Amino acid sequence: MTSSAILPAELRRDLINALPADVAQESENISPNQLYLPWSHSRALRLESSLVIGARGVGKSVWSQALQNQAQQEDGEILPANLFPYLLQVQPGFGTSLRSASYPPPETFEALLSQHNRSAYAVWQAVLCRALSTTMEYQQAIPMGNWRETVAWVVANDGESVAALIEQADNWLQERNKGFLLVFDALDRVSSTGRWRIVDQAIRDLLRLALQLKASRRLHAKVFLRTDQYERGNFAGIPDLSKLQATRVELVWSRIDLHGLLWQRLTNAPSPTSTATRDQFRAWCQAAVASQRSLFDLDPLVTATAGNGARWSLPRALQQNDQLQRALFEKLAGPWMGKDRRRGVPYLWIVNHLADGQEQASPRSFLAAIREAATDSLQRYGDYPLALHYESLKRGVQAASQIRINELAEDHPWMKELMKPLKGLLVPCAPDQLEDRWQTKFGQIPDGVPHLPERLPDRLSKQGLQGVMDYLEQLGLITFMLDGRINMPDLYRLGFRLGRRGGIKPALRSYQAT
């Protein structure tokens, strides 16, 4: 098979089929063959790291689900076998499923808190006790009929029975050389009404439980938090919190990590992606490692796993070498974002234009942009000799921006309303240009913005306009330049339809995931 065996149009179709139409939905059910574990993320999965922080779309739910799936795999192929020191039993303590029997649904969670002013700590202890009693087939009667009964049992025993159960479980696991991990994710859902005060209190009390388990030998908790949840939280006064903070890990994706993820997806693409194209993707990767001089002068090699559907892991050299990744992406998108070098390099350009205010790009945005670029190339550039046209990459960023903003609005329902008056504004701009537009539309800030005052952190809600801007900066939507002007990364600028001289223009239509 040669590099010219598959036409660009076929590559585009197979790119579309290999990448998820809805990355957010797919993250909970990703195929083990397509999992890609960057070296920096392996530390986040280790048992000593009880607190894992990350922005939306960086893989918190992916790793939460992978940990739970790992416990169900006797051969341990989902994650590296040496990741844990002993056989691990894993259960969800909270997560994206609203029908799990392992934890109370949001409506029940809120109802439990309202009954006799009970703390979220008692609810989390009830979750732990149920999980441990099920694991050990515990003989002592723990009320399991409903969550109200279990929480009442925890409160009535004043913590003594909980402590005794933790010690018994720890000894039971030690004798069997096993471990137990309780995984917590999607904690914004503990409140069915989206009230931050409930969410913040639930997170604070959950960290207390994680600290309690730190004293155990074989019992562990892993808490996945969004970056804004962690930064907004008031954790003052929690004893020994430094033990959690010292081992916390932030999930970030470097440029080479994102491109490595792309090739892991392409070389392990499920049906209906053609086997021939998948094998060619694998062959290109092998050719990249075989010669660092010129990918294009080599005929791709036939892989040992070609066509059999088995998991194919990227060669380690390809995961670590930026130049190999760059040469490989040229096979899809070429060397330039135009006719010459003045327009930039696609390999660098696509990641840079998907970065937020903290200069971080998420895999969710990256994969969405590549898929949209393939779709656009298929529709508009039938005669182009490469799979991805440079103008289509720009439209891919536009589409990713709209997807990102829709996700942002789920967490912050006031966001779109706040940004509407800024449509057409050119950035960078002076802060008073934002202030003038907002005050014309809403009057007092933040009180005049629907749903905003009650959802701002308390310390920021009292600071007026400056508090709002600080929160937007904290979320990565805006940055303050050295000269005092405000800038907005393309990831948000395009979706909110702000302008930039010489930059990508906002789309004329709203993109939806294809």
Side-chain angles (χ1 to χ4, degrees):
M1 179 174 60
T2 66
S3 58
S4 61
I6 297 178
L7 298 174
E10 294 178 82
L11 285 175
R12 293 164 194 153
R13 292 189 186 95
D14 290 332
L15 278 168
I16 294 167
N17 289 329
L19 301 178
D22 186 342
V23 184
Q25 184 68 28
E26 183 252 14
S27 66
E28 300 170 25
N29 301 290
I30 184 174
S31 164
N33 285 358
Q34 292 190 305
L35 273 181
Y36 183 71
L37 179 62
W39 178 85
S40 61
H41 286 209
S42 60
R43 180 168 166 251
L45 300 182
R46 296 190 181 278
L47 296 179
E48 62 267 21
S49 300
S50 299
L51 183 58
V52 181
I53 312 296
R56 235 188 191 267
V58 299
K60 297 185 298 299
S61 294
V62 170
W63 296 133
S64 171
Q65 192 61 52
L67 287 167
Q68 295 172 54
N69 292 342
Q70 175 79 1
Q72 303 170 11
Q73 300 290 319
E74 295 181 358
D75 55 10
E77 289 183 353
I78 291 179
L79 298 175
N82 62 353
L83 198 58
F84 310 113
Y86 34 71
L87 185 64
L88 203 60
Q89 296 179 244
V90 185
Q91 287 195 30
F94 200 84
T96 55
S97 173
L98 299 182
R99 297 182 180 179
S100 175
S102 300
Y103 48 84
E107 295 81 2
T108 303
F109 199 103
E110 284 192 285
L112 291 169
L113 297 184
S114 65
Q115 294 170 3
H116 310 294
N117 293 319
R118 285 174 177 159
S119 69
Y121 186 59
V123 179
W124 295 131
Q125 285 185 311
V127 170
L128 173 66
C129 288
R130 281 200 182 194
L132 294 181
S133 64
T134 302
T135 298
M136 296 188 301
E137 298 181 354
Y138 189 49
Q139 299 301 312
Q140 179 176 332
I142 295 178
M144 303 279 281
N146 57 56
W147 284 103
R148 183 180 61 184
E149 293 176 356
T150 311
V151 173
W153 178 83
V154 168
V155 173
N157 286 276
D158 198 28
E160 292 184 5
S161 295
V162 177
L165 179 59
I166 289 175
E167 183 177 2
Q168 181 181 351
D170 202 24
N171 292 333
W172 186 88
L173 292 163
Q174 180 80 9
E175 291 170 0
R176 290 158 178 80
N177 194 29
K178 293 182 178 180
F180 178 82
L181 175 65
L182 206 55
V183 179
F184 300 85
D185 182 32
L187 289 162
D188 54 302
R189 300 189 183 191
V190 298
S191 171
S192 60
T193 57
R195 288 184 286 177
W196 287 121
R197 287 178 177 82
I198 292 176
V199 175
D200 290 347
Q201 186 58 49
I203 291 173
R204 177 185 172 88
D205 285 350
L206 178 56
L207 296 187
R208 289 176 56 200
L209 182 71
L211 278 166
Q212 183 180 10
L213 295 184
K214 277 285 189 183
S216 303
R217 294 165 297 176
R218 296 300 178 98
L219 302 180
H220 311 275
K222 190 172 293 292
V223 181
F224 290 92
L225 288 183
R226 285 205 322 263
T227 305
D228 62 293
Q229 292 173 337
Y230 178 73
E231 293 180 347
R232 187 184 62 242
N234 179 14
F235 307 130
I238 299 180
D240 296 326
L241 180 63
S242 59
K243 293 180 179 179
L244 285 184
Q245 293 175 323
T247 60
R248 79 177 185 270
V249 177
E250 185 173 358
L251 293 177
V252 296
W253 289 77
S254 68
R255 179 176 60 240
I256 196 171
D257 290 338
L258 291 170
H259 282 274
L261 170 65
L262 172 65
W263 289 100
Q264 183 67 32
R265 292 296 188 96
L266 299 182
T267 57
N268 291 274
S271 181
T273 300
S274 74
T275 301
T277 306
R278 186 191 63 194
D279 291 347
Q280 176 147 308
F281 288 148
R282 294 179 180 183
W284 282 354
C285 290
Q286 284 194 323
V289 176
S291 173
Q292 298 188 28
R293 294 186 302 275
S294 174
L295 272 175
F296 300 90
D297 293 339
L298 286 175
D299 285 334
L301 309 175
V302 178
T303 70
T305 58
N308 66 8
R311 176 181 170 86
W312 195 85
S313 297
L314 290 186
R316 186 167 297 277
L318 196 60
Q319 298 179 42
Q320 299 174 348
N321 190 311
D322 193 66
Q323 291 303 311
L324 292 185
Q325 286 280 17
R326 176 169 171 168
L328 192 58
F329 196 65
E330 283 186 18
K331 300 282 276 184
L332 295 176
W336 314 119
M337 283 297 298
K339 296 181 179 180
D340 55 48
R341 67 180 67 238
R342 292 177 299 174
R343 298 295 183 181
V345 177
Y347 173 73
L348 307 174
W349 186 95
I350 186 70
V351 176
N352 291 342
H353 284 76
L354 291 171
D356 62 13
Q358 276 81 46
E359 299 183 349
Q360 297 295 323
S362 75
R364 187 177 296 175
S365 296
F366 180 70
L367 295 180
I370 297 295
R371 190 179 193 276
E372 177 61 33
T375 301
D376 189 80
S377 296
L378 185 64
Q379 295 172 347
R380 295 173 184 260
Y381 304 104
D383 296 332
Y384 194 62
L386 297 171
L388 302 177
H389 195 281
Y390 50 85
E391 291 294 340
S392 295
L393 289 175
K394 297 177 183 178
R395 295 187 182 96
V397 172
Q398 291 173 340
S401 175
Q402 189 61 58
I403 293 170
R404 180 73 167 191
I405 284 171
N406 289 338
E407 293 174 346
L408 191 70
E410 293 177 10
D411 303 328
H412 309 283
W414 46 269
M415 185 66 69
K416 287 187 176 181
E417 193 68 24
L418 179 69
M419 290 297 173
K420 279 182 181 178
L422 304 186
K423 179 180 177 181
L425 182 67
L426 290 179
V427 291
C429 66
D432 58 9
Q433 290 184 265
L434 276 70
E435 181 178 2
D436 291 344
R437 293 196 177 205
W438 280 338
Q439 289 187 341
T440 299
K441 173 67 175 179
F442 302 113
Q444 192 67 23
I445 303 292
D447 295 340
V449 183
H451 309 296
L452 177 56
E454 66 271 22
R455 292 177 179 269
L456 272 179
D458 289 340
R459 62 182 179 84
L460 295 178
S461 63
K462 300 173 183 177
Q463 298 177 18
L465 177 65
Q466 187 59 51
V468 172
M469 289 190 176
D470 287 348
Y471 195 44
L472 294 178
E473 182 184 30
Q474 180 178 304
L475 293 174
L477 270 79
I478 63 173
T479 58
F480 287 90
M481 303 176 68
L482 293 178
D483 61 5
R485 291 182 299 165
I486 289 177
N487 204 355
M488 181 178 289
D490 284 350
L491 180 64
Y492 298 113
R493 177 185 68 82
L494 294 170
F496 287 130
R497 302 182 67 78
L498 279 72
R500 185 195 311 281
R501 290 187 177 89
I504 309 172
K505 295 181 179 179
L508 296 177
R509 60 183 177 90
S510 294
Y511 280 86
Q512 302 295 331
T514 306

